[in-house]
Every structure is written in C-alpha cells, then in structure tokens.
Amino acid sequence: MRLTPFAKAFVTIVILAVIGYAAWHYKGHDLRKWATGSDKTTTATGTADNSADFNALKNAPSDPGRDAGSNGVQAVGLTGSGRLNRPLVVAINTWAGHSPGIVFNDGLEAGPASQYRKRFNLDVKFVLIEDPAAKLAAFRKGDVDIMWNTVDNWAREASILAENNQKARSIVMQDWSRGGDGIVSLSSITSIEGLKGHKISCTQFTPSHFLILYLLSQSGLSPADRADVEKNIIFTQDAPAAAAMFKAKQVDAAVTWEPDLSAAVTARGDEAHVLVSTSAATNIIADTLCARQDVIDKAPETMRDFVHGWFEGIEMIKKDPAGAYNLVGHALKLDTDTVSGMLSGLKLTPYADNAQFYGLTGGKAHYETLFDTAFVIWRKKGLVTRPVEAKDWADTRFIQALAAEYPGATVNEPKVAAKAPSASDRAIINKQIQIHFTPGSDEIMAGSEFVLDALGETMTSFGNTYLRVEGNTDATGSQIQNLTLSERRALAVKNYVTKNFPNVDPNRFQTIGHGSKNPIAENQTEAGRQLNRRTDIKVVLATEK
C-alpha cells in the first residue's frame, strides 16, 4: 500500500510528537537544566530564593550623606556624529519620575517653551504606553526609540531582546525609589518576619515582586519559612489590582506603588500601615531609560543632548516646583497634589548620582549589581533563559561626554543617625546570628566574616535605617562581667562593619549589651548555653517617631 502525501505528513507528525514526549518525560530534567541554567525544576512560582542570590547587592552605593559624585569622571568624546532628522520618540508611563523630560520639553510634545528645541534643535515626543508588554513590543517594532524601565525589569527585557537578536542600552538613570514602592499591611504585622502565615497580593515579575523577594532574603525567616511566604503570594494583573485586594480585605498585605500604596492605607484606616517601603530600602529599585542600539548608532549626538536635557530638567523643577507640577500634571492627566506626592516618593537623580550609579567615579557600578542580581532571580523563576550581562546593556558615553558641564557636582543625601532606644522603635528586620568570639573576649574568631559582611550589605541596602546590635551571653560567670562582655562584643560587630564598609556611617548603629538577661534556652546544657551566646540584629526605621 502506498501512502498519500497527506498520510506521510500525518505519520511524521505523530512520530515527532512521540519522540518529543519521550524526550521530555525521560530527559525533561536535563532539558530544563539546559534552558534555565539550574538543576531545579521550577513551578508556577519558581524555586525559592535565598540571601545568597542577592549577594551582589553588598556592593551598593555609598551610605546617605556621601559627598562624592562626579569627581573623577573621565570625559569622552563621541565616536562619530549623527542626529535624528525626525522627532525622538520616548515611551513613558504615568509616573512622575518622567518629570525632568516633560518639563524640559514643555509637555509630551515639544511646546512653545521646549528647551530641547531651543537649545539642542531637537524635537522630542513622549508617548504614554502603560502596559509593559505593549511598551516592549513597540520598542522592538521600532515605533519608539527610548523606553521606560526599572533596572530589575530591564534585566528581564534585555534577555528577551537578546533571544530575538536585538540590542539596546540603558543610557540614563532617572530616579531612586524612595518611598514610591512598598508593602501595605495590617497594623498587627510589624516586620517582614510577621508576613509568615498571611496572604499577600503582588504583581509578578515587577519591581514589587523583586522588592518582596529581596526583603524576604534579608529577613530572619528560615529558608522553609521564606518558601511558605512565597507560596502565599497571590499574583495580580497590575499594582492597582494588588492594592484593591488589600482594600477589599481579601489579603493581609499588598506590594504596590504610589499612589496606590497610600490609598490602600487610607482605605483600611487605623487597621493598616505601610510595613516597609523604599524610604527604608533606599538602593533597591532604580528607574532607567533604555535606547535602541540602531538609534544610538545612527544619532549619538541626539542621545547626548537628550540626556543633557534630562539633567537640566531636574534643575528646572528645583527652581519652579509649582510650575513643574502643573505642567507634568497636565501632561499625565494628574492633579498637582498627586504629582507632588509621587515625586516625594522618589529621588530624581542628576549628573553626580548617574556618574556614581554607572561606576564612572570608581568602584563597581551599582547598575551592574542590580541588573545581574535581578537576572539571577528571574532565571531561577524560569522567566528568562538567554544569559545577559549588565555591562553589555548600558552605554555611559553620553553621561561621560557631559563631564565638563557638571564639574564638582555631588550626590546629596540626608544623614541618618541612630537614636536612643525607645518603645516606639519598630524593627522591620529581625535576625539572630551566631558570631564566634574568643572565650571571655570580644575578639571575633575566624569564620564569622561571611555573616558580618552580610550586615554591611543590609546597611547599604537599607539606607534610611539604623542597625541595633544586641549582644547576649550565657549565664556562666558574674552578671556584671557578662554585661560588660556583651557590650564589648556588640561594639566589636559595629567596628568590623564600619572598618570593612567605610561608606557606612558609624552613627547608624545602636550597640546594646544584655549580658545573660535575655536567654532563649536553658543554661544548664552546653547546647542551651551556645544558643544564648548570640547577637540579635534589628533593622530599625529611622523615620518612625
């Protein structure tokens, strides 16, 4: 019997399907390992994260109060020249972090007072694209030249572009989130550890998701408890929907951003509060603008002038905030109070901050630590497969080309100092760590460096907090000796961190010795005494009164 062409095709499809099923059934583990770079099978929520996934963030920027910035930036000239002979199209969303460009342009489209047009002969057109997927699609298609992003999400989208043999670069940092993102919860939940056993709403694979994963990694929860918290996360379509679930009392906490963060607290009244926000975790979420590589190659002078105008727009906002709020509100269809409120939850980042963020003033670029850390997380969740490195997805030439325009510019941050302990203090992170000391001494023994280095990471990531270090001993010896010893050991922890992390201000520490007054186990056994010889670490909000 001769098979018809249709029958041959049908048989071929069946054979391929059987082979494919067999390969996945018997070799699925290996295939998943090849695709994700992990030998762990991911589920809908992926594998649980741990603090080691965020180790790169220990290289966070200097502590608030730093006064270095643009000094030391090596000015570069642009290789080649070129300008667009059409409007530069920039995709933004309804977020006040885009204010500098809108103000400098006198609106979404160049207004009569557009400084882009007057100073640089550049037409800029801002277009609102709220949906991240639609934004990326327009960017890939070539309908927009520059798109909004957060660095953590840029790591995900860069991998998608790489999969499709497309290229783009981060060209400027827009802002640090400083209160604009956070977790609203029941007032009875007072710390990250307190989220255990509660349902939480969040938007998957967004800055909100990245924020809660980071906070969990820094908490005192065990790996098993962190995994349980992740299982209790209910993913919503967007941030407003996450806040809406909290307002409707369907969840006990929600990870969202302004203005929904504040609105969620207002909706629940006294039974709700902001558990933690980026006003405390200051160096975790950064907004950036990313440009297509073909546009960069064709018009480097246009890119430089766009970035220059962005920095100048920040200065214009400082000089006339009321006028700026009105202009931005009109463009984004927001009232001026909402614009002002959004801006109060972020820090617009001028030249000096950008120079530091991209590592142009020396040291490792925090842009790279955020990007590379986020990629590890998204890959572990099974969201991306194509490896990308931060250094290949940024172009700092346009910032470097402006070095002569901003000589001596500095990074300005408020100083944070610890205060005397009080009943109103709220620790958002609570850890118990084992630091080994020479018996009867405050000398830190070898082997404790890893734990102590993690404290340096915590201090830099939570820039608007102070660290309470509480030393505890067992009951061996006199109470007075134990009290003195525990105080000295708490101070030794502080001294180690400030020595090895010189950008951490020593004034951000509280050191307390409890002696043997706070046992967590019986002192009659060596095992119990070992548990009592501990150091308690609490990250305390500096903004709470």
Side-chain angles (χ1 to χ4, degrees):
M1 179 180 67
R2 297 175 61 87
L3 294 177
T4 66
F6 174 80
K8 291 178 180 179
F10 179 77
V11 171
T12 300
I13 291 172
V14 171
I15 292 172
L16 290 174
V18 171
I19 293 173
Y21 173 79
W24 185 256
H25 183 75
Y26 294 106
K27 291 292 184 178
H29 173 83
D30 295 330
L31 291 173
R32 283 188 293 268
K33 182 177 180 181
W34 171 82
T36 64
S38 171
D39 60 1
K40 296 181 180 179
T41 303
T42 58
T43 63
T45 56
T47 54
D49 304 293
N50 56 64
S51 58
D53 295 327
F54 294 89
N55 277 349
L57 293 185
K58 66 180 64 175
N59 295 312
S62 309
D63 213 37
R66 51 195 182 265
D67 57 6
S70 62
N71 294 328
V73 176
Q74 182 177 358
V76 300
L78 298 179
T79 55
S81 61
R83 305 185 65 87
L84 287 183
N85 56 7
R86 60 167 177 79
L88 178 71
V89 183
V90 183
I92 61 173
N93 60 346
T94 305
W95 176 242
H98 306 302
S99 294
I102 296 172
V103 169
F104 200 72
N105 200 45
D106 193 33
L108 294 181
E109 298 199 35
S114 170
Q115 295 302 303
Y116 273 123
R117 181 176 287 173
K118 289 183 176 182
R119 290 185 55 180
F120 303 119
N121 194 29
L122 172 61
D123 277 345
V124 178
K125 180 181 180 181
F126 291 98
V127 294
L128 286 167
I129 306 180
E130 306 289 352
D131 179 59
K135 171 210 68 175
L136 182 61
F139 187 77
R140 291 185 55 202
K141 186 180 177 183
D143 291 339
V144 298
D145 305 308
I146 297 174
M147 65 176 177
W148 58 271
N149 235 319
T150 54
V151 175
D152 55 280
N153 188 60
W154 175 225
R156 181 182 69 86
E157 292 188 346
S159 181
I160 295 172
L161 292 173
E163 283 276 5
N164 291 276
N165 296 316
Q166 293 177 301
K167 191 72 177 176
R169 308 269 183 163
S170 167
I171 60 170
V172 67
M173 177 196 191
Q174 295 175 270
D175 59 71
W176 279 117
S177 178
R178 296 288 170 84
D181 299 82
I183 302 176
V184 57
S185 75
L186 297 176
S187 299
S188 58
I189 302 173
T190 60
S191 67
I192 298 300
E193 293 81 8
L195 291 172
K196 180 184 175 183
H198 293 277
K199 291 191 178 299
I200 308 159
S201 56
C202 177
T203 309
Q204 195 171 27
F205 307 135
T206 63
S208 294
H209 194 189
F210 184 72
L211 178 63
I212 191 169
L213 292 178
Y214 176 74
L215 292 171
L216 288 172
S217 77
Q218 292 295 296
S219 73
L221 292 170
S222 68
D225 286 341
R226 289 199 298 268
D228 286 342
V229 173
E230 284 197 53
K231 290 176 183 177
N232 279 331
I233 296 177
I234 301 171
F235 292 115
T236 60
Q237 182 177 356
D238 51 34
M245 288 193 71
F246 182 78
K247 293 177 185 178
K249 300 185 178 182
Q250 296 172 333
V251 294
D252 300 324
V255 195
T256 185
W257 52 68
E258 294 290 9
D260 300 294
L261 184 64
S262 296
V265 175
T266 302
R268 301 278 300 257
D270 291 341
E271 69 174 352
H273 70 156
V274 174
L275 173 63
V276 63
S277 76
T278 49
S279 64
T282 52
N283 298 322
I284 301 301
I285 297 179
D287 289 305
T288 183
L289 291 174
C290 306
R292 295 199 334 262
Q293 188 66 53
D294 61 315
V295 179
I296 291 174
D297 294 339
K298 180 181 179 180
E301 291 179 327
T302 296
M303 294 294 102
R304 177 200 60 202
D305 293 344
F306 175 75
V307 171
H308 193 176
W310 196 274
F311 294 147
E312 293 301 291
I314 295 175
E315 296 306 312
M316 291 177 67
I317 295 172
K318 290 179 182 178
K319 291 177 181 177
D320 181 15
Y325 298 164
N326 185 62
L327 176 60
V328 173
H330 178 75
L332 300 181
K333 295 180 172 54
L334 301 171
D335 59 71
T336 55
D337 287 342
T338 300
V339 174
S340 175
M342 282 184 172
L343 287 171
S344 69
L346 57 85
K347 182 199 177 185
L348 297 175
T349 45
Y351 184 84
D353 297 71
N354 267 263
Q356 185 184 69
F357 184 67
Y358 288 102
L360 303 180
T361 57
K364 183 174 174 61
H366 194 50
Y367 161 79
E368 294 184 11
T369 65
L370 283 176
F371 183 105
D372 293 338
T373 299
F375 178 79
V376 169
I377 298 305
W378 301 144
R379 180 158 151 172
K380 196 170 184 179
K381 297 297 180 188
L383 188 64
V384 295
T385 56
R386 178 65 65 88
V388 288
E389 292 187 30
K391 62 183 178 61
D392 299 325
W393 294 85
D395 193 334
T396 62
R397 291 177 300 155
F398 313 115
I399 296 171
Q400 290 176 275
L402 299 172
E405 300 288 335
Y406 303 97
T410 60
V411 178
N412 297 311
E413 297 275 8
K415 281 189 175 292
V416 176
K419 59 184 180 180
S422 70
S424 63
D425 290 345
R426 181 163 69 86
I428 55 174
I429 298 288
N430 296 272
K431 294 183 179 182
Q432 287 184 354
I433 60 175
Q434 291 291 327
I435 300 174
H436 300 288
F437 295 91
T438 302
S441 162
D442 60 357
E443 180 183 355
I444 298 173
M445 297 178 65
S448 295
E449 293 85 356
F450 180 80
V451 174
L452 291 169
D453 287 345
L455 293 184
E457 171 192 343
T458 299
M459 292 295 281
T460 48
S461 296
F462 292 86
N464 198 30
T465 63
Y466 56 90
L467 196 72
R468 181 179 299 165
V469 185
E470 300 181 356
N472 298 272
T473 69
D474 59 31
T476 305
S478 71
Q479 285 190 345
I480 295 178
Q481 288 176 327
N482 286 335
L483 184 62
T484 302
L485 180 59
S486 64
E487 291 171 346
R488 287 165 45 205
R489 287 179 171 176
L491 185 60
V493 171
K494 169 188 172 180
N495 291 340
Y496 176 93
V497 174
T498 54
K499 177 183 177 181
N500 290 278
F501 293 82
N503 292 320
V504 174
D505 189 339
N507 292 320
R508 288 182 56 206
F509 285 83
Q510 284 181 351
T511 56
I512 303 172
H514 292 302
S516 57
K517 292 188 298 183
N518 291 335
I520 58 173
E522 295 292 333
N523 276 298
Q524 281 70 35
T525 66
E526 177 52 35
R529 289 191 291 270
Q530 184 174 351
L531 290 174
N532 290 331
R533 295 193 295 268
R534 71 192 189 280
T535 304
D536 293 333
I537 301 297
K538 297 179 180 179
V539 179
V540 181
L541 288 175
T543 53
E544 299 244 332
K545 300 189 187 299

